[in-house]
Amino acid sequence: MTPESGDNNPSSQQTVKQRKIKDSNTRKALLACLPRSRTDLEEAVSKTETWWRITQYMHHNFGGFDASSTFSQFADFATKTENPVILGLFLVCLASSGQEDEAMYISTVSALIVYDDEYAANIDGIECMALVGKYHADMGQPRKSWMVFRRAAMFAQLMGLPRFHSSSARKDGMFWHLFESDRYLSLLLGLPYTLIDAHCDTNQNLSPGDSITNATRFRRSISVLAGKVVDRNQGVSGQSYSTALDLDQELDDLAAKMGSQWWNLAEEPASESLDDLITSHEERISQITFYLVKMNLHLPFMLKTATNPRYEFSRNACFDAAKRGLQTYLALQSNFSKVMRTFYDCQVIDFIGFTNAVVFLLGLLGYGRAHHQNGQFRNSEDEADWQLIDKAIEILRDYVPSRQTGVTQQCYQTLNFLRGARDCDGDCGGKIEPIITIPYFGTLKIGKSKFAEIAKQRSLNSSMAPTPDSQNGCNVQQMPTPPDPQPRDQGVPSCNDPLISYNGFYMPELDNFNFDISQGDGRFGGAALDSGSGWWQTNANADIDQDWNYFTNGC
């Protein structure tokens, strides 16, 4: 007797019936989130049209619709189809464009679609998860974004998408969206990525009917190299300095292919057309990711210059990347219309700009600066450089009222406090040394002697003509010198008495934090800070939109 199959199989019929009931109930729950009034719904759809056009430009065939489609057409299809995943995607589109009740849209779609395996295991579900992940990044929740993108990547792997994505423009665009987000978020958070190069087709072969800009191609190539930096950061045995220099050369070779003109930061785009604005923004985002990767590549070696000046090349390269990344962030936020900010109003980008500013400011304050033979510090202070910091503070301050979370406010407060070190008098008013914790970066302490040194250097600067090196600020490039296997005493501040101390992910092997962090607010959510780790590493729910709980006693 042969078993029944297909529609004649009672078990199969029961499964189909149950799925229809589930789909119907899910659709009802999603539809209940939409505005009750048809007029309000049409207004919400109308407000999302520009966002839809930008999304279609960035992700070809998004939602299964081509670039000529309108969001009104997609809305009509989504509200009529029996597929609840498409309806969920429609709600996330509304939320991503800044509509009212966006938080309810996201929480409902997450509960009913994102974390339901049946709905997640197809291209529509993966696309929905990717858009939810982007929303969390926009809201300053990179940890949550990383988790959602990781889930989307796992289902993409189950579908074979990383290996066979070039068959269609939609699949190809979705794969690269997952791949890039996976790499850049992992780099930012100091976490491992999901999609491994050896298991992915990373050749940028155009799928039928597809086309990509040079900026997109460049950003995708940089994401591959970003994975190598993550491998170094996540590795147990570490990485040789020569390997880092080889990777630096790969980055420079990619940058050179774009041409010098492409790297110029124009004050305004060529025109006010939406297409030109999109192109300009995409170029800025691609440049920001390049500088982020380069800064993180050299950051661990830059931090070692406090005890080993032979890493001077990495010090200069790190501060240069931080400076240029900051300049690009400022151009992105200052020079383009509000139309584009409906798509790029991303608090993770704010946080990247902020970390660029912090690293660059460390350079201006003289972290790891080499000594002359006469014992005096080189003058690397440049008023134009400090004006970049001031402009960043101003932009972050102006954005605080419009942000729904505390990310931008805490970035502003922290950067403004660090900026104050330049103007502090020599004895810091007798207050204790400031300790500042930055999530997914580390904890900084500025010693009292640092304030005295800065005050003394300002006095010297006012009476001495600038040297050729000082006129270039921190952007002083030189050929790298291989570091000594055993660092010798070079007369720089030692780990036991640092002027600027760092403790965090990028330098866990160096115990140069000469204070008991338990005396300050070196905790988050009640989790104690273990030696060599950050409070965000002891609490898996920590994200940058929450209270950083930093300790800012001092000037």
Side-chain angles (χ1 to χ4, degrees):
M1 184 175 180
T2 59
E4 293 180 305
S5 60
D7 294 339
N8 295 324
N9 189 333
S11 177
S12 176
Q13 291 176 354
Q14 182 66 21
T15 300
V16 172
K17 182 179 179 180
Q18 291 176 346
R19 179 58 185 264
K20 287 184 176 180
I21 294 175
K22 177 182 177 180
D23 288 351
S24 177
N25 291 336
T26 302
R27 287 191 74 258
K28 289 178 181 178
L30 293 171
L31 287 170
C33 296
L34 294 174
R36 299 290 181 87
S37 166
R38 183 174 182 82
T39 301
D40 292 342
L41 179 58
E42 290 176 348
E43 182 180 355
V45 169
S46 177
K47 290 180 179 179
T48 313
E49 287 290 356
T50 300
W51 179 92
W52 174 262
R53 184 176 170 184
I54 298 171
T55 303
Q56 283 291 350
Y57 178 93
M58 299 293 295
H59 309 290
H60 294 178
N61 297 109
F62 179 80
F65 281 64
D66 59 33
S68 63
S69 64
T70 65
F71 187 65
S72 178
Q73 292 172 331
F74 178 73
D76 184 65
F77 173 75
T79 53
K80 293 178 180 178
T81 182
E82 295 182 358
N83 184 354
V85 181
I86 298 296
L87 181 57
L89 186 61
F90 170 66
L91 285 175
V92 182
C93 290
L94 293 177
S96 299
S97 63
Q99 299 290 335
E100 191 176 353
D101 296 328
E102 60 186 76
M104 178 184 65
Y105 294 163
I106 295 297
S107 61
T108 303
V109 172
S110 296
L112 298 178
I113 304 296
V114 171
Y115 293 103
D116 187 298
D117 290 357
E118 289 184 329
Y119 291 140
N122 55 69
I123 189 66
D124 295 328
I126 292 173
E127 202 162 49
C128 186
M129 285 186 283
L131 192 57
V132 170
K134 181 186 180 302
Y135 174 85
H136 287 307
D138 290 345
M139 297 301 294
Q141 300 165 338
R143 177 199 63 87
K144 187 174 290 187
S145 177
W146 179 83
M147 294 175 66
V148 174
F149 273 112
R150 196 175 184 89
R151 177 172 172 82
M154 289 190 296
F155 280 100
Q157 289 174 321
L158 290 171
M159 294 173 56
L161 189 64
R163 298 174 59 196
F164 309 110
H165 55 85
S166 60
S167 59
S168 74
R170 187 185 184 192
K171 290 181 179 179
D172 189 62
M174 182 48 53
F175 162 75
W176 281 108
H177 187 193
L178 296 177
F179 187 89
E180 291 183 66
S181 300
D182 183 31
R183 294 297 174 94
Y184 292 130
L185 286 170
S186 295
L187 180 65
L188 178 69
L189 298 174
L191 295 171
Y193 54 81
T194 304
L195 298 172
I196 302 172
D197 289 354
H199 303 161
C200 298
D201 177 11
T202 55
N203 295 314
Q204 297 191 52
N205 300 318
L206 295 181
S207 56
D210 196 8
S211 63
I212 59 174
T213 64
N214 289 334
T216 298
R217 189 182 298 276
F218 173 75
R219 194 182 62 247
R220 291 175 178 179
S221 298
I222 293 300
S223 68
V224 176
L225 298 182
K228 297 182 180 181
V229 180
V230 174
D231 290 340
R232 187 275 309 276
N233 293 346
Q234 293 296 316
V236 177
S237 59
Q239 184 186 63
S240 68
Y241 192 44
S242 61
T243 303
L245 295 178
D246 289 341
L247 184 53
D248 179 82
Q249 186 62 53
E250 288 188 66
L251 288 167
D252 286 344
D253 290 344
L254 277 175
K257 292 179 181 179
M258 301 304 293
S260 58
Q261 185 61 35
W262 188 78
W263 293 95
N264 291 337
L265 293 175
E267 288 298 317
E268 295 180 356
S271 70
E272 286 298 318
S273 73
L274 183 58
D275 288 344
D276 287 337
L277 289 170
I278 295 172
T279 301
S280 297
H281 267 68
E282 186 183 23
E283 290 175 349
R284 299 292 177 262
I285 293 295
S286 298
Q287 292 169 357
I288 285 175
T289 55
F290 171 82
Y291 293 126
L292 174 67
V293 173
K294 189 149 190 170
M295 183 183 76
N296 280 273
L297 170 65
H298 289 285
L299 185 57
F301 302 107
M302 179 278 288
L303 292 167
K304 292 180 180 180
T305 57
T307 55
N308 191 344
R310 289 188 177 274
Y311 289 109
E312 184 72 6
F313 173 79
S314 283
R315 178 185 184 275
N316 293 330
C318 182
F319 291 146
D320 181 60
K323 175 181 178 179
R324 295 180 185 276
L326 176 60
Q327 289 174 322
T328 309
Y329 168 76
L330 296 177
L332 183 72
Q333 300 297 340
S334 302
N335 301 330
F336 299 100
S337 69
K338 295 181 179 179
V339 173
M340 290 304 301
R341 289 179 186 159
T342 62
F343 187 83
Y344 282 115
D345 192 13
C346 177
Q347 293 188 62
V348 164
I349 296 295
D350 289 342
F351 186 73
I352 291 174
F354 160 74
T355 53
N356 284 331
V358 169
V359 172
F360 182 48
L361 193 147
L362 289 179
L364 294 177
L365 292 178
Y367 185 94
R369 183 183 296 144
H371 282 66
H372 286 306
Q373 291 182 352
N374 62 7
Q376 292 182 344
F377 282 98
R378 293 185 315 202
N379 174 23
S380 66
E381 184 175 74
D382 184 343
E383 191 63 32
D385 289 341
W386 283 103
Q387 288 176 2
L388 287 176
I389 301 296
D390 292 338
K391 188 174 182 181
I393 292 173
E394 180 182 347
I395 285 179
L396 291 171
R397 181 196 62 208
D398 292 345
Y399 277 177
V400 168
S402 63
R403 296 296 196 256
Q404 298 185 33
T405 64
V407 177
T408 306
Q409 180 178 5
Q410 294 183 95
C411 288
Y412 160 69
Q413 291 174 339
T414 302
L415 188 59
N416 191 46
F417 179 79
L418 286 171
R419 168 64 175 81
R422 184 198 186 198
D423 301 322
C424 183
D425 58 24
D427 62 2
C428 197
K431 297 180 182 179
I432 65 174
E433 297 172 336
I435 301 169
I436 299 174
T437 299
I438 301 172
Y440 300 106
F441 179 79
T443 305
L444 297 170
K445 180 180 73 170
I446 303 178
K448 290 183 180 180
S449 55
K450 184 66 201 173
F451 294 106
E453 177 215 325
I454 295 170
K456 179 180 179 181
Q457 188 61 48
R458 285 205 314 271
S459 177
L460 290 174
N461 291 343
S462 63
S463 61
M464 296 175 60
T467 65
D469 281 348
S470 72
Q471 294 176 3
N472 292 327
C474 290
N475 185 17
V476 182
Q477 291 295 319
Q478 62 186 52
M479 292 302 295
T481 303
D484 287 339
Q486 298 295 329
R488 298 186 297 272
D489 182 10
Q490 301 291 333
V492 297
S494 68
C495 296
N496 295 325
D497 186 24
L499 298 181
I500 302 176
S501 304
Y502 169 86
N503 183 43
F505 175 80
Y506 292 99
M507 210 171 174
E509 73 278 8
L510 182 59
D511 184 17
N512 69 336
F513 221 61
N514 187 25
F515 73 103
D516 183 4
I517 197 168
S518 64
Q519 294 178 2
D521 283 334
R523 300 177 297 278
F524 189 85
L529 178 65
D530 296 328
S531 176
S533 66
W535 47 255
W536 58 91
Q537 294 171 301
T538 62
N539 189 334
N541 290 321
D543 224 324
I544 65 173
D545 66 323
Q546 301 174 36
D547 182 8
W548 295 3
N549 202 18
Y550 54 78
F551 188 74
T552 56
N553 290 320
C555 294

